[in-house]
Amino acid sequence: MKGSLWNGSFWLAWRQQRVLVGIGAVVLAAAAAIAAYSRSGMLDALRSGMFDHCDPGPLSCTRSDTGLPLLLDVEPLRILGALNIVLPVVIGVFWGAPLLGRDRELGTHRMVLAQGVSRGQWFASRLALAAVTTVVLSGVLAVVFAWWWRPAADRSYGVFWYENTALSGSGPRVVAAALFGLAAGTLLGLLARRVLAAMGLTLLVTGAVTLMLEWTHRTRLLVPPHTYTSAGSIPKPPMGEKWSTGNYGLITASGNRDDVMKCPFPSSAELRECMAQRGYVARFYEANPAGDYWTFQWTDTALLGGLALLLTAVTVLLLRRRV
C-alpha cells in the first residue's frame, strides 16, 4: 500500500510538471543544435588560416588589408552564457515558486494528504522530479557551452575566461545556481499566500543574489588578485590570459606602493629617470591568472550549493506549520 502511495504521489508530480520537463527538453535540443551548427562554422573559420597571424593575447586582432577588427562569430555563444546566468531566476520563478505554492493556493494538497500521503512524501515527490530535471538541464547547458567555447577560449578573437558570460555561464556553478533558484522559489512558494506573489519575491531574491555574485567577481572580493612585479624599469610581465584589476603602480625601496601616474612614462629613459628621482625600485600590477577560473567556479558553487541546501532544509522544517 505504501509503495502505491509513493507511486501515486510521483505520478501526480509528473502530471503537474511534465510540461516544464518538456520545455526543458526542447531548450536543450535547441541549444545543442545551435551549438553544433555555430561551432562547425567557428572551426571552419579557424582552419581557413584567417586568424593564423593573430596574437592570442588580449589585444584585438585586425585584418591585414583593412585594419578592421577580426573576430569569430561568438555572439550566439555569449547568448547561451547569458541564458545560463539567468537560469536560476527562470527556474526559481516558473518552477520553484509554483512547486508547492500552486497546490497550497488551490487547496489541492489537502486532497493528496487525505489519501494517506505524508507531507514529506508530497514534498519529496515534487522536489525530486524538479531537482533531477534542473540538474540535467543546467548540467547539459554548461557542458554545451564549454564544448562550444573551447576553440575560441582566451583568444583576442574569441571569448576570454573572465568575461561574465564565460565565468558565470559555464562550469559547475551553473548547476549550483540553478538548484539555488529552485530551492529559493520552493521556499517562497510555501511561505507566500499566492503563487504570483511568490514568483515576484523569487524574481527579487534570485536576481539580487545573481547580481551580488557578479559584483564579487568584479571587485575580486572572494578571489583576491595576484600581484606581479618587475624590477626597475624593466617592462612588466605580459598580461596574456590574466584578468587585470586595472591597478598598476610603482614600488619604493621600503615596499610602499604608489599610483602609476607618479611616473607616467612607457619603458624608456624618462621612466628610468623619474623612478630614480622618486625612489622607485620596481613596478607592479594586480591581476587574476587564468587558473583562477576554477577558484571562482568552486567558490560560487560552494556558496550557491550551500544556500540551496540551507533553503531546502528550512522548507522541510516549515512543512508541518505551513501545510
Side-chain angles (χ1 to χ4, degrees):
M1 180 64 178
K2 184 176 181 179
S4 64
L5 290 176
W6 268 105
N7 291 338
S9 184
F10 277 116
W11 178 85
L12 183 58
W14 166 251
R15 291 277 297 178
Q16 292 176 328
Q17 300 180 55
R18 60 184 178 178
V19 172
L20 292 171
V21 174
I23 292 174
V26 171
V27 169
L28 285 183
I34 294 171
Y37 176 79
S38 297
R39 188 178 188 271
S40 176
M42 180 187 295
L43 292 175
D44 288 342
L46 291 172
R47 294 187 188 115
S48 70
M50 187 187 309
F51 296 89
D52 289 352
H53 70 285
C54 294
D55 188 329
L59 297 179
S60 61
C61 181
T62 58
R63 293 180 179 272
S64 56
D65 52 347
T66 64
L68 296 175
L70 186 61
L71 300 169
L72 287 169
D73 183 15
V74 292
E75 287 310 309
L77 175 63
R78 289 193 172 104
I79 291 173
L80 177 59
L83 170 64
N84 288 347
I85 292 173
V86 302
L87 193 61
V89 180
V90 175
I91 288 178
V93 170
F94 295 104
W95 203 322
L99 191 66
L100 304 181
R102 183 67 68 192
D103 277 357
R104 289 194 67 243
E105 181 176 334
L106 299 176
T108 52
H109 66 289
R110 297 189 183 92
M111 178 183 67
V112 176
L113 297 178
Q115 303 300 315
V117 177
S118 68
R119 291 177 176 84
Q121 291 172 342
W122 173 69
F123 169 67
S125 61
R126 280 151 182 75
L127 183 65
L129 178 59
V132 169
T133 307
T134 295
V135 169
V136 172
L137 174 63
S138 57
V140 173
L141 285 176
V143 169
V144 168
F145 182 94
W147 174 72
W148 187 357
W149 174 40
R150 191 170 292 115
D154 301 329
R155 295 290 184 268
S156 60
Y157 43 83
V159 178
F160 279 93
W161 67 270
Y162 48 77
E163 292 188 33
N164 62 338
T165 51
L167 187 59
S168 299
S170 65
R173 80 167 312 273
V174 177
V175 179
L179 288 173
F180 158 73
L182 178 66
T186 302
L187 175 58
L188 292 169
L190 180 66
L191 293 175
R193 292 180 178 272
R194 296 286 183 268
V195 171
L196 191 60
M199 294 172 76
L201 290 171
T202 302
L203 176 63
L204 290 175
V205 171
T206 54
V209 171
T210 300
L211 292 175
M212 187 177 298
L213 281 176
E214 292 299 318
W215 174 77
T216 66
H217 293 171
R218 291 194 301 272
T219 60
R220 324 300 163 89
L221 180 66
L222 302 178
V223 184
H226 299 223
T227 300
Y228 298 87
T229 62
S230 58
S233 60
I234 297 173
K236 63 183 185 298
M239 187 68 66
E241 298 174 5
K242 303 183 188 74
W243 184 16
S244 174
T245 63
N247 187 18
Y248 301 83
L250 303 151
I251 305 176
T252 65
S254 61
N256 292 329
R257 297 183 181 182
D258 281 339
D259 188 86
V260 69
M261 296 308 294
K262 294 289 185 178
C263 288
F265 304 102
S267 300
S268 62
E270 291 93 341
L271 176 63
R272 289 193 295 272
E273 182 180 352
C274 179
M275 291 181 67
Q277 289 177 350
R278 295 175 178 269
Y280 297 124
V281 298
R283 296 190 293 168
F284 77 92
Y285 69 85
E286 294 180 346
N288 291 90
D292 277 356
Y293 167 83
W294 288 108
T295 307
F296 279 103
Q297 281 287 320
W298 293 119
T299 300
D300 284 3
T301 300
L303 282 172
L304 292 164
L307 281 173
L309 290 173
L310 176 62
L311 295 176
T312 302
V314 172
T315 302
V316 172
L317 292 174
L318 292 177
L319 273 177
R320 187 169 294 277
R321 293 184 179 182
R322 307 294 297 189
V323 178

